[in-house]
Amino acid sequence: MVSVKPSAHLTRLNSKDDYIAFREHAHRKWDALWNGDATLVSVGVGSSSIAKGALEVLEQAHQVAGDAIVREVSGNGAFWMEPWIEIKRPGVDPVVYGPLTVDDVAGVIAGTRDDLAVGVRGENPVGDIRPLTEIDFFKHQVPLLTRNAGVIEPDSIEDAIARGAYDGYFKVLFEISQEQAIAEVTTANVRGRGGGGFPAGIKWESGRKARNNPKFIVCNSHEGEPNVYKDRHLHECDPHRILEGIMIACIACGAERGYNYIGGEYPLGIRRFRKAVANAERLGLIGKNVLGTGKNVAIRVRTGGGAYVCGEASALMYSIMGVRGQPRTKPPRSVEEGLWKRPTVANNTETLANMPDIIVRGGEWYASLGTENSKGTKLMTMQGPSKLSGVVEVEMGVTMRHLLNDIYGGMREGYTFKGIQTGGASAGPITEDAFDLAIDFDSLGPLNGMLGSGGWVLFDEDVCAVDMARYLTAFSRYESCSKCVPCRLGNPALVEILDRIRFGRGSLEDLALIRRTSSHIIELSLCGLGQVAPVPLVAFLDTYEEEFRQHIVDGVCKCGVCPISAPSRETMLEEVAAD
Amino acid sequence: MVQPDHTHAPRPVPSPYTGRQEIDLDQVREMLSHFTYSDHEEAQELILSALQEINEHFGWVSHEAAEIVADHLGTSATRVFAILTFYADFRTTPRGHHHMLLCHGMSCYVMGSSKLVQKVRDEYGIGDGDTTPDGQLSVQVANFCLGVCDRSPVVKLDDEYYGHVNADDLTDLVNRAIEGREAMHASEVNHG
Ligand SMILES: Cc1cc2nc3c(=O)[nH]c(=O)nc-3n(C[C@H](O)[C@H](O)[C@H](O)COP(=O)(O)O)c2cc1C
Ligand code: SF4
Ligand code: FES
């Protein structure tokens, strides 16, 4: 197995006191680093910046840095400024420069390229350069889960500890009981970030009460949706936070082993997470008799193989067990009979990443953030032709108007707004009348929309509603595991009807047929995939019915996307004749 | 002055794709020797990971390789094949000399990736999972997001990402890749 080795200088800690001493050492080291007389050159390396040449920038930084210390940090979510470099000079706050190329690196390090400066990471301006927090993209964010993004070196457990990692784990190990830990989670009222919004406290309590042993925790980092990359981002920028969340869950629920099931699509995130596990193991935070407490915590990393349905919790467990990932009927629920038929608590990555702060700062503090029914912050991504792009963390209750216009800078030049697809392939689009709603787990429901995992897809007037509905339905058709009939046969039937319409052979009865077929699939399918597969299509039909009718009645696709609008053989011949 | 605790050797710039195809079974055995387990449950948990490593390294998993995996982890070849044919990442036929990952996630869809899928079909006669008859090009249409949405539509050809790709660029990229590795080297690549 591709083994990731722990950092060589770490040694095992055997007691509470050992750990406290190590934590102090990490803090001292961090303070010395940032308050010392060395220049720090931090390069933001994440999968999005690597695609734009960040590794070459990093290499160049090593070449020309001289006495400066070069650090490999993660991306900070702001895709539009990648690749970037942060320079911390003695006595002033760090300044971030980007987007830049390999050729700019030497100048930036030498201090001659202030034209490339984006902002200061800190409160005080440096010369004419203003703080990042005055830039709209950052100003409106509330970085809790992402506060280490671009700050720590993800591969360094000491960096993470100096910034507060494993404090929550320490607390559940030494200071509070399992019941108290779960009470904090319940008070926090943190709801599952995997899309469903189920209260984590209730799930954990059932997990703790389950009598069958051993028990397991599963972190669902599959993220196979085509519309979101927030869990990948979290793995790349702060793997320790996720790991700590899993470890806290293990202690709170009395589970001896935690799993992280990661989609195979993000190798960098997997590597950084494995490194975090290796280092935590080396320090003795994971393993047998953790810090002399007599408690055992094991962590296993498992990776997926590119099947969306494996994000469904029961399918995910089958996938871990080395068979096809096909969902099963419930009951029994996973907390009674999950992985290897043992009680298993499954949570989304982001849900678990919230736990360290909830344990350290308390459930009440957490519950003060967000809306009545949805607490805390939410990671969100925006795809499509928005001016800016990337991962942001905002408080629950943000409005779409604020998110799109203030944070993501509105539509890109030359594009006209048509809608925003919500919930990936599980819900429908919203239009401007939903723009002033406070977004949380429940508010978009009446409008066919859904918060889901927080991935929004902006689309413009050039995108045909029929074609996009087909794209979404075809996604579910392709990803269906084929176990049950309504989903296996129903989704291809829907795609066929849509193709009829796209090719100009549809009839108005097809619209009724879509609705009828859809309700069969929704009502009769076994798992969440089939139960929502037709939802986007029906919602597109509700929202853009006029466009469907134009295809059928007038025989035109006004966006010029569908085959219907390709010039027919006759018109082509006429054109040739006219030449 | 404080020294970083883990001085980084500069990471190598990704090398041009070498188009590995033959599966060296001894190498597979060597890879598998790192997959150790303490009980049958753990052995089963390793099947997917083992296949992934082989698939990643060689670009595909052959019958023979699958059988070796089954032997090593104490399971049947049928079970291994059930996995190979279920998960989209696995290929049971060799990749082309050049491999294209065409992002068809939602951002890329909105920004026109369907045209690219169509272009590959028109120009090379292949679709998702296919290889051209001369073995030069294989394509995978990604149903997930490559995570570079600000450059949509995005194509990953061999080891390089290309952003804002239009249908004409696409054939240029492929032709340059096929004509010679030199032209493909990272320094010349316009990142979009
Ligand atoms: C088809 C399908 C795909 C899913 N994909 C994911 C996923 O990628 N990540 C995730 O956390 N949950 C996913 N879920 C939801 C999980 O089944 C489960 O509800 C969730 O992981 C529980 O964690 P939470 O309570 O923290 O949200 C999916 C559900 C279905 C039906
Ligand atoms: S609804 Fe679809 S994905 Fe779910 S079990 Fe049935 S066939 Fe499989
Ligand atoms: S959807 Fe293609 S890169 Fe995100």
Side-chain angles (χ1 to χ4, degrees):
Chain A
M1 202 169 338
V2 197
S3 59
V4 177
K5 296 208 166 45
S7 305
H9 66 289
L10 302 175
T11 50
R12 187 177 163 89
L13 310 171
N14 291 310
S15 65
K16 185 177 171 181
D17 289 343
D18 278 3
Y19 183 74
I20 293 173
F22 184 80
R23 185 166 61 190
E24 277 167 11
H25 145 81
H27 277 280
R28 274 196 308 273
K29 194 167 157 187
W30 180 259
D31 290 342
L33 183 71
W34 290 91
N35 299 321
D37 48 14
T39 296
L40 310 185
V41 177
S42 309
V43 183
V45 177
S47 46
S48 58
S49 65
I50 286 176
K52 298 162 202 155
L55 289 180
E56 289 85 345
V57 168
L58 178 65
E59 192 190 87
Q60 179 70 4
H62 278 289
Q63 301 284 340
V64 301
D67 288 342
I69 297 174
V70 178
R71 305 167 71 238
E72 176 183 332
V73 299
S74 71
N76 62 0
F79 284 13
W80 47 273
M81 56 187 255
E82 287 170 345
W84 56 259
I85 287 186
E86 178 191 283
I87 311 277
K88 160 84 177 86
R89 296 182 204 281
V92 289
D93 282 338
V95 178
V96 184
Y97 300 82
L100 43 75
T101 66
V102 172
D103 299 335
D104 301 326
V105 175
V108 165
I109 294 177
T112 58
R113 291 301 308 273
D114 277 359
D115 56 309
L116 288 171
V118 185
V120 180
R121 187 170 62 75
E123 280 153 27
N124 309 306
V126 175
D128 293 338
I129 310 167
R130 58 193 177 140
L132 283 175
T133 47
E134 287 179 17
I135 297 174
D136 282 340
F137 185 84
F138 295 103
K139 181 159 70 185
H140 307 289
Q141 293 198 46
V142 183
L144 297 180
L145 308 185
T146 54
R147 71 163 171 268
N148 286 336
V151 179
I152 61 166
E153 293 198 65
D155 282 353
S156 163
I157 196 167
E158 283 145 302
D159 276 17
I161 289 176
R163 295 271 299 175
Y166 305 104
D167 284 355
Y169 184 55
F170 186 85
K171 196 164 168 182
V172 294
L173 278 179
F174 296 109
E175 291 167 11
I176 60 175
S177 65
Q178 287 176 287
E179 288 83 352
Q180 283 170 313
I182 293 179
E184 293 297 351
V185 176
T186 309
T187 308
N189 197 7
V190 52
R191 295 174 62 181
R193 264 53 172 166
F198 189 81
I202 298 180
K203 208 185 271 185
W204 283 28
E205 182 62 14
S206 324
R208 187 183 68 80
K209 284 196 180 137
R211 265 169 309 205
N212 203 344
N213 268 312
K215 307 173 194 174
F216 302 126
I217 303 294
V218 169
C219 174
N220 186 344
S221 308
H222 181 53
E223 196 165 66
E225 289 174 294
N227 66 313
V228 73
Y229 40 85
K230 51 122 185 149
D231 292 342
R232 160 172 37 198
H233 181 65
L234 213 46
H235 275 84
E236 289 175 4
C237 53
D238 200 353
H240 305 276
R241 177 178 295 279
I242 302 166
L243 178 58
E244 187 185 0
I246 303 173
M247 287 152 63
I248 290 172
C250 284
I251 300 293
C253 301
E256 292 216 344
R257 193 188 300 150
Y259 286 81
N260 190 9
Y261 182 88
I262 315 181
E265 280 81 39
Y266 41 112
L268 180 66
I270 295 174
R271 197 180 59 70
R272 285 184 177 164
F273 187 80
R274 283 190 197 276
K275 178 80 176 184
V277 172
N279 280 340
E281 250 163 13
R282 171 62 71 96
L283 287 180
L285 301 180
I286 305 174
K288 294 229 182 297
N289 189 17
V290 171
L291 300 181
T293 54
K295 296 197 166 90
N296 304 330
V297 177
I299 299 289
R300 287 183 181 174
V301 182
R302 298 289 178 244
T303 53
Y308 168 66
V309 70
C310 288
E312 198 274 346
S314 66
L316 183 148
M317 291 174 203
Y318 284 119
S319 182
I320 292 179
M321 293 187 275
V323 292
R324 289 182 160 205
Q326 293 179 302
R328 64 161 169 76
T329 45
K330 277 142 243 165
R333 294 177 308 145
S334 310
V335 281
E336 289 143 18
E337 213 178 287
L339 196 58
W340 302 117
K341 299 227 174 227
R342 299 280 161 51
T344 307
V345 173
N347 273 129
N348 171 254
T349 318
E350 188 184 343
T351 315
L352 288 166
N354 272 299
M355 297 307 173
D357 281 353
I358 291 174
I359 295 296
V360 172
R361 302 174 74 170
E364 290 205 7
W365 159 79
Y366 189 83
S368 70
L369 295 163
T371 67
E372 180 70 30
N373 297 320
S374 306
K375 301 303 185 189
T377 60
K378 184 78 194 73
L379 299 178
M380 295 187 182
T381 59
M382 179 72 71
Q383 296 182 322
S386 53
K387 206 165 270 163
L388 303 177
S389 161
V391 187
V392 300
E393 183 173 4
V394 289
E395 201 172 330
M396 286 277 191
V398 68
T399 65
M400 185 52 76
R401 191 177 304 284
H402 184 48
L403 186 70
L404 176 60
N405 293 338
D406 301 333
I407 299 180
Y408 285 106
M411 296 287 291
R412 227 177 272 171
E413 218 106 314
Y415 291 84
T416 319
F417 177 85
K418 181 165 182 173
I420 292 177
Q421 170 61 8
T422 71
S426 313
I430 54 171
T431 51
E432 246 186 291
D433 38 332
F435 267 32
D436 295 310
L437 278 180
I439 298 173
D440 65 15
F441 279 113
D442 312 305
S443 61
L444 294 176
L447 293 163
N448 286 333
M450 146 184 203
L451 168 60
S453 46
W456 313 104
V457 187
L458 182 62
F459 55 97
D460 65 296
E461 283 293 351
D462 287 342
V463 175
C464 165
V466 179
D467 193 72
M468 185 151 174
R470 186 207 186 266
Y471 168 84
L472 293 163
T473 314
F475 173 82
S476 298
R477 174 195 61 177
Y478 182 84
E479 296 295 346
S480 163
C481 82
S482 294
K483 179 167 176 168
C484 66
V485 177
C487 172
R488 179 177 68 221
L489 299 183
N491 286 309
L494 287 178
V495 172
E496 209 178 302
I497 300 170
L498 286 166
D499 276 342
R500 216 150 56 213
I501 299 175
R502 288 171 61 245
F503 278 87
R505 310 231 159 81
S507 69
L508 286 175
E509 279 102 79
D510 279 338
L511 300 184
L513 186 59
I514 286 176
R515 290 185 189 278
R516 211 163 53 239
T517 311
S518 296
S519 66
H520 284 166
I521 302 172
I522 291 169
E523 281 163 29
L524 300 174
S525 288
L526 188 156
C527 87
L529 192 151
Q531 287 158 10
V532 302
V535 171
L537 168 57
V538 174
F540 266 81
L541 189 51
D542 286 343
T543 313
Y544 304 105
E545 181 161 350
E546 197 41 45
E547 231 178 300
F548 281 74
R549 287 178 177 273
Q550 275 173 1
H551 281 71
I552 295 169
V553 180
D554 309 332
V556 289
C557 169
K558 67 176 181 189
C559 306
V561 170
C562 292
I564 200 176
S565 50
S568 67
R569 209 178 125 71
E570 288 76 46
T571 41
M572 265 163 39
L573 287 177
E574 274 166 31
E575 275 168 23
V576 172
D579 270 348
Chain B
M1 187 177 111
V2 186
Q3 284 300 328
D5 64 347
H6 45 111
T7 18
H8 292 283
R11 283 228 231 124
V13 174
S15 59
Y17 186 67
T18 50
R20 282 182 292 233
Q21 292 216 352
E22 293 308 315
I23 297 193
D24 175 349
L25 296 179
D26 285 334
Q27 203 178 342
V28 170
R29 285 189 195 93
E30 203 283 321
M31 286 159 87
L32 285 173
S33 69
H34 301 279
F35 286 80
T36 52
Y37 47 88
S38 53
D39 54 34
H40 187 49
E41 285 184 359
E42 192 176 5
Q44 295 176 76
E45 289 180 9
L46 295 177
I47 305 173
L48 253 163
S49 315
L51 292 175
Q52 256 157 351
E53 206 168 303
I54 297 168
N55 193 67
E56 217 153 272
H57 192 81
F58 297 103
W60 67 298
V61 183
S62 65
H63 266 266
E64 294 80 3
E67 272 165 26
I68 295 175
V69 170
D71 277 351
H72 181 77
L73 297 173
T75 186
S76 67
T78 321
R79 164 130 172 229
V80 173
F81 256 77
I83 293 176
L84 285 176
T85 49
F86 182 81
Y87 294 91
D89 286 354
F90 297 121
R91 295 178 56 97
T92 50
T93 50
R95 281 182 177 183
H97 196 69
H98 299 279
H99 186 68
M100 178 189 288
L101 189 58
L102 212 162
C103 187
H104 202 36
M106 290 185 70
S107 185
C108 290
Y109 163 79
V110 166
M111 303 306 286
S113 59
S114 309
K115 291 196 188 106
L116 304 182
V117 177
Q118 189 59 42
K119 182 75 178 181
V120 170
R121 190 169 286 292
D122 292 347
E123 197 78 18
Y124 305 102
I126 54 173
D128 183 28
D130 298 338
T131 307
T132 50
D134 63 0
Q136 280 290 354
L137 180 71
S138 52
V139 67
Q140 182 190 348
V141 178
N143 239 344
F144 51 90
C145 161
L146 298 195
V148 204
C149 303
D150 51 332
R151 303 283 171 100
S152 295
V154 176
V155 165
K156 188 180 179 200
L157 183 60
D158 300 336
D159 286 328
E160 284 291 340
Y161 290 86
Y162 302 88
H164 301 308
V165 178
N166 66 37
D168 294 332
D169 297 344
L170 195 69
T171 37
D172 281 356
L173 288 178
V174 175
N175 291 341
R176 276 168 63 189
I178 290 177
E179 273 158 27
R181 298 224 177 96
E182 284 308 306
M184 271 300 295
H185 201 269
S187 57
E188 270 192 45
V189 167
N190 165 15
H191 283 280

